[in-house]
Amino acid sequence: MSASFADSKPHYELLDGLRGVAALVVIWYHLFEGFATSPVDQRFNHGYLAVDFFFILSGFVVGYAYDDRWRRRTLTLGGFVKRRLIRLHPMVVLGAVLGAVTFCLQGRVQWDGTQVAISAVVLALVLHLFLIPAVPGSAPEVRGNGEMYPLNGPVWSLFFEYLGNLLYLLFLRRLPTRWLAGFVAVAGLGLAAFALGNGSGYGHLGVGWSLAGNNLPGGLLRLLFAFPMGLLLSRIFRPVAVRGAFWICAAAIVLLLGLPYVGSGSMPQWNGLYDTLCVVVLFPLLVWLGASGRATDRCTSRICMFLGDISYPVYVIHYPFLYLFFAWLWSGEAIPFAKAWPVAAGLFVGVILLARLVLKVYDEPVRRWLTRRFLTRR
């Protein structure tokens, strides 16, 4: 979600800023994937939990923006679907095109060097445009590592985001608050059991990006807890007095998402416990604090607006360029971080600048046109 294009209500500006902080942390998490041999030895380790934070934020914002419209009967099923598609899908399209272009620039080869036919790339692009997952081992799974969206891996979370919106439309919005709280509690127990029971194989919740193994059920559990939890928070929210909420919460997000693997690979339940505490306890608390706070100075307000605006473009566009970064890292003898960090830092800054450009030149104009075309009454 972006700070731009409020549907009708004012945004929680601190939540916009925190979304941007989490999106920037995700870039570094993915950059450090290039220097790790497994999820256990990755230095900047828990960035995958940003997805759970995003889901909670999304549920909170959707409930805040739309719940009372259903009660006042000012929103239709079709109107809700159109609004969500207009908000989310233009960047999905751009991310797919960028992924196809960078894959071709990389030489249309899988990680093991196998050449990929251009027809398979086109098929992968078409599936991506409609958010249809690629089956592992099929022709459109062009990178050969099992990603649902091999042209732009992180888009898997948007697949689940769409499922969350559909679940809200058909079911969650109708639940009384006490029943919604029960649903969240049951889903939280399921998520904890998955994490503590080592459902991922590494004692973490970094699942959902593939149709292989336990990824799909794990991803569904992440969504089924986090999105309804955000919706529940929007219903029961009462602000608390907190000073410096943005800076406190931003520092907490960086720390929680950047912490190394907890414990060792031989005892994955410790990392599973950490992930569970973050998602079930700490992230809802951070959303509550962020929604309670207000920017008390112009600088903080501008930072939050900027971060909120670029958060979604940053998340969608960064990984196609990381594919090129990984190809460079692994083109011969593996390049260590001590030598690669200037390129990594340049990529980080470049993605931020490009995200801002994309927002102003593509995303906002396209959404304006679509809003006039499909939502404005004639």
Side-chain angles (χ1 to χ4, degrees):
M1 297 284 293
S2 163
S4 306
F5 284 82
D7 285 312
S8 64
K9 295 182 176 181
H11 278 72
Y12 287 101
E13 58 180 345
L14 266 62
L15 293 184
D16 290 330
L18 295 178
R19 182 185 297 107
V21 170
L24 296 182
V25 171
V26 167
I27 300 178
W28 283 106
Y29 165 69
H30 284 147
L31 279 166
F32 273 90
E33 286 181 328
F35 306 97
T37 60
S38 77
V40 176
D41 66 3
Q42 183 169 334
R43 297 176 187 176
F44 204 97
N45 198 282
H46 286 88
Y48 55 83
L49 293 178
V51 170
D52 304 272
F53 184 70
F54 292 147
F55 286 163
I56 296 173
L57 279 177
S58 183
F60 185 93
V61 170
V62 166
Y64 168 71
Y66 295 110
D67 266 5
D68 60 346
R69 297 189 188 190
W70 298 113
R71 290 191 293 268
R72 298 197 311 264
R73 300 181 184 276
T74 60
L75 185 65
T76 64
L77 298 180
F80 176 81
V81 171
K82 288 177 183 178
R83 287 175 182 275
R84 302 311 294 154
L85 285 172
I86 289 172
R87 178 64 195 93
L88 296 173
H89 217 74
M91 286 303 304
V92 171
V93 171
L94 180 62
V97 173
L98 279 176
V101 170
T102 54
F103 183 67
C104 290
L105 289 175
Q106 186 185 328
R108 286 189 289 112
V109 293
Q110 297 183 352
W111 296 120
D112 63 359
T114 302
Q115 190 72 38
V116 175
I118 190 65
S119 58
V121 180
V122 172
L123 181 55
L125 176 61
V126 171
L127 292 181
H128 193 136
L129 291 174
F130 293 95
L131 271 189
I132 300 173
V135 176
S138 64
E141 200 267 286
V142 291
R143 292 193 183 273
N145 59 356
E147 291 171 290
M148 290 170 66
Y149 300 100
L151 297 179
N152 193 355
V155 172
W156 69 266
S157 64
L158 293 175
F159 170 80
F160 285 100
E161 172 79 15
Y162 273 39
L163 288 182
N165 281 264
L166 183 62
L167 188 65
Y168 170 79
L169 177 66
L170 300 178
F171 174 62
L172 291 176
R173 68 182 177 88
R174 305 177 188 273
L175 285 181
T177 300
R178 65 181 181 277
W179 286 98
L180 179 61
F183 184 96
V184 169
V186 172
L189 290 173
L191 187 68
F194 184 91
L196 296 172
N198 196 20
S200 67
Y202 288 100
H204 65 44
L205 288 175
V207 292
W209 55 273
S210 174
L211 294 179
N214 286 335
N215 267 275
L216 184 58
L220 286 172
L221 281 172
R222 297 176 76 180
L223 172 73
L224 291 175
F225 170 77
F227 190 92
M229 169 55 87
L231 178 59
L232 177 63
L233 290 176
S234 75
R235 292 188 184 182
I236 66 175
F237 174 70
R238 298 293 184 274
V240 296
V242 54
R243 297 185 61 182
F246 172 72
W247 301 105
I248 293 171
C249 294
I253 288 170
V254 173
L255 176 64
L256 294 173
L257 299 186
L259 197 73
Y261 190 88
V262 177
S264 65
S266 62
M267 299 184 68
Q269 64 269 24
W270 290 112
N271 196 78
L273 177 61
Y274 175 82
D275 284 8
T276 301
L277 290 175
C278 284
V279 176
V280 176
V281 179
L282 297 180
F283 289 170
L285 176 62
L286 290 175
V287 170
W288 193 292
L289 293 177
S292 296
R294 294 291 183 271
T296 57
D297 60 273
R298 182 175 297 181
C299 179
T300 300
S301 181
R302 288 181 175 177
I303 289 173
C304 288
M305 179 175 293
F306 175 79
L307 291 173
D309 282 348
I310 67 168
S311 60
Y312 186 42
V314 157
Y315 186 78
V316 173
I317 70 170
H318 77 281
Y319 213 72
F321 300 102
L322 287 191
Y323 286 127
L324 297 178
F325 177 71
F326 295 151
W328 169 69
L329 277 182
W330 305 329
S331 58
E333 185 175 347
I335 302 174
F337 181 74
K339 294 183 178 180
W341 73 263
V343 177
L347 182 58
F348 176 72
V349 174
V351 165
I352 294 174
L353 296 177
L354 181 60
R356 181 68 176 179
L357 179 65
V358 163
L359 175 75
K360 295 301 181 182
V361 175
Y362 169 76
D363 190 34
E364 289 184 343
V366 169
R367 283 189 282 137
R368 287 194 191 99
W369 182 84
L370 291 172
T371 298
R372 289 195 300 266
R373 178 67 177 82
F374 294 105
L375 288 178
T376 304
R377 293 182 180 179
R378 300 182 182 279

